[in-house]
Structures are given as C-alpha cells and as structure tokens.
Amino acid sequence: MPTKSLHIPTADGQADALAAFPDGGERHPGVLLYMDAFGVRPVLREMARELAEHGYYVLVPNLFYRHGPAPVIDLPEHIGQEIRPAVFAQLMPLIETHTVERALSDADAYLRFLTTQPEVSPRPVAVIGYCMGADVAMRTAADHPGQVAALAGFHPSPLVTDAPGSPHRLVSKMTAQVHLGLAENDMPPKAVSELNQALDAAGVDYTCEIYPGTVHGFTMSDTDAFNPSALQRHWDRLLPLLESALADR
C-alpha cells in the first residue's frame, strides 16, 4: 500500500502531510483524516494504510505545521501515563494556537488539495477525526456541507461547550452521515444528551455511541488508553459509514 509525503499549500505556508492509497492507477474516494493531539506518527500512518486497503485515498495533514514538520515534538514509542504530563506540557502551546480560524482556513486548503489529486474521485469526501481532530472534523463538515458526505469522530475533545461556536451548535449546517464513538470519560451524560438533541433537531443521519470499557484515546495503540476491542468496533462502524456515504456518488 503506497504512502507518500506531501506538502499542502495553505494561507500560512506549507502543511506537511502523508497520503496512503491503493496502487493501481485508479481513482478512489477521498478521506481527510485529522490527527489526535499527539500528532502524525507511525500509528496514524498504519491506520491510514489500513483504511487505504479498503479502497480510499487517505490524506493525513500535520495540524501543527506552523511549529515545524511532524513529529513536532519528540515522542517515545509508547506514550505511557507516567510521561503524559511532560508530553502535554509541550503540546498545550501548540493546541492553544490551533484556533478555530486557523483550523477552518487550513480545512479549505486540505479539501482543495485532496479533491484535486489525480488518484481521488470527483465526488464528496469523508472527514475523520480523533481527539482534537474530531472537533476539527465537525467544523470542516459544517463549513463544507457540499463536499463532506461522511463524518466520523472518535474519543473527541468536548463537542458541547458554552461557547457560541461550540461544535454541537454547528450541526444544522451539516449534510454528512455521521458516526461519533465516545469513550466513557469523554463527556458527561448531560453533554452527550445535548449533543444528541442537537443532531436530532438538525435532522442529521447519525449514530452516537459510548464505547464500553474505554477511556479517552482508545484507538491509539501507542498509548496506555488503547483498547483492541474498541479499535475493532471503530472499524466496524467506520467502514460501513464510508461505504454508505461515498459509494457511487
């Protein structure tokens, strides 16, 4: 399964990225995959490859490109609980400067790049996000309803806040089919209920589940949060969503 390194022109420079796609000279549905807070690293490369094996062109941009190419900070092979505080001390300044305005500006550039690649079919795409990437994915889907046909978010950062621009307040703009896979500790029950009410009121075709026995980060095999059965559940939800939303469009 080929992968290649790319640079995506943005309003603020060049975002480094990786792409994984089938090697056959054909065109495939596009998928924009947003990283978690730990960034683009081997585990995300492998997830992109696995998704590409199912017939998709998967683009994984480095959201922190303004601070340097991935990996922006040095990460160990396994991110255990004992080193998380030190890692997040380095990550928080990067996360805090990744504002909504920057995220949406970058999303424009990522989608423009993805949809003009010769290996990508001329049809709507999917957007997938993990952790902070789920927030960005929801905003991308809301800001580009004609281009995003499928949205998936896993162990998301808070999607219900008091802010006027909270992700749950944007769902009325989306036309994508949606799956949200939450860890047990991602959001309190009241927030989950409010999120579901917003999706219902907007008439969104969605599923929203709390994956049992999970903690935040359950898909990432290089962390202590990893849960193999939950990762499989993630694939069991994600692949049918993509097939339904992107097939024959």
Side-chain angles (χ1 to χ4, degrees):
M1 190 60 55
T3 62
K4 63 180 179 181
S5 298
L6 300 165
H7 286 87
I8 304 172
T10 74
D12 292 333
Q14 297 271 329
D16 54 301
L18 68 87
F21 51 91
D23 185 15
E26 300 176 349
R27 304 177 80 178
H28 306 278
V31 175
L32 176 57
L33 192 158
Y34 284 127
M35 66 191 208
D36 62 349
F38 293 125
V40 181
R41 60 199 192 282
V43 66
L44 284 184
R45 183 182 295 272
E46 290 308 310
M47 291 175 77
R49 281 180 174 152
E50 183 163 352
L51 189 52
E53 288 176 358
H54 292 274
Y56 300 100
Y57 181 107
V58 187
L59 181 68
V60 189
N62 169 24
L63 301 187
F64 297 151
Y65 70 89
R66 293 174 179 84
H67 304 274
V72 179
I73 68 168
D74 291 331
L75 289 171
E77 290 186 11
H78 185 83
I79 307 166
Q81 285 295 108
E82 71 283 356
I83 62 169
R84 282 177 69 93
V87 170
F88 268 98
Q90 298 178 74
L91 288 173
M92 284 310 298
L94 312 185
I95 295 169
E96 289 168 355
T97 59
H98 192 257
T99 61
V100 171
E101 292 74 20
R102 284 181 167 181
L104 292 179
S105 174
D106 289 346
D108 292 343
Y110 300 152
L111 287 174
R112 183 165 54 248
F113 184 90
L114 174 62
T115 57
T116 56
Q117 295 310 292
E119 302 91 352
V120 176
S121 304
R123 63 179 76 171
V125 303
V127 180
I128 305 168
Y130 300 86
C131 179
M132 63 173 283
D135 176 298
V136 181
M138 286 193 71
R139 296 181 188 281
T140 301
D143 212 41
H144 298 270
Q147 285 186 282
V148 178
L151 162 66
F154 299 95
H155 44 83
S157 56
L159 300 178
V160 177
T161 72
D162 293 332
S166 172
H168 81 290
R169 302 185 197 280
L170 307 175
V171 298
S172 62
K173 301 178 181 179
M174 298 191 314
T175 59
Q177 295 182 42
V178 176
H179 175 72
L180 299 174
L182 312 181
E184 290 185 345
N185 64 340
D186 277 332
M187 293 192 289
K190 182 179 178 182
V192 175
S193 177
E194 192 169 347
L195 174 61
N196 288 336
Q197 289 172 13
L199 290 162
D200 286 334
V204 175
D205 181 358
Y206 80 98
T207 56
C208 181
E209 296 181 60
I210 297 174
Y211 287 23
T214 56
V215 296
H216 184 77
F218 58 77
T219 64
M220 298 299 162
S221 61
D222 60 351
T223 74
D224 283 352
F226 180 55
N227 183 312
S229 63
L231 175 63
Q232 185 57 53
R233 189 186 188 102
H234 142 283
W235 289 119
D236 291 343
R237 300 296 189 267
L238 178 59
L239 294 174
L241 171 73
L242 299 182
E243 178 67 22
S244 172
L246 302 184
D248 301 321
R249 291 187 60 132

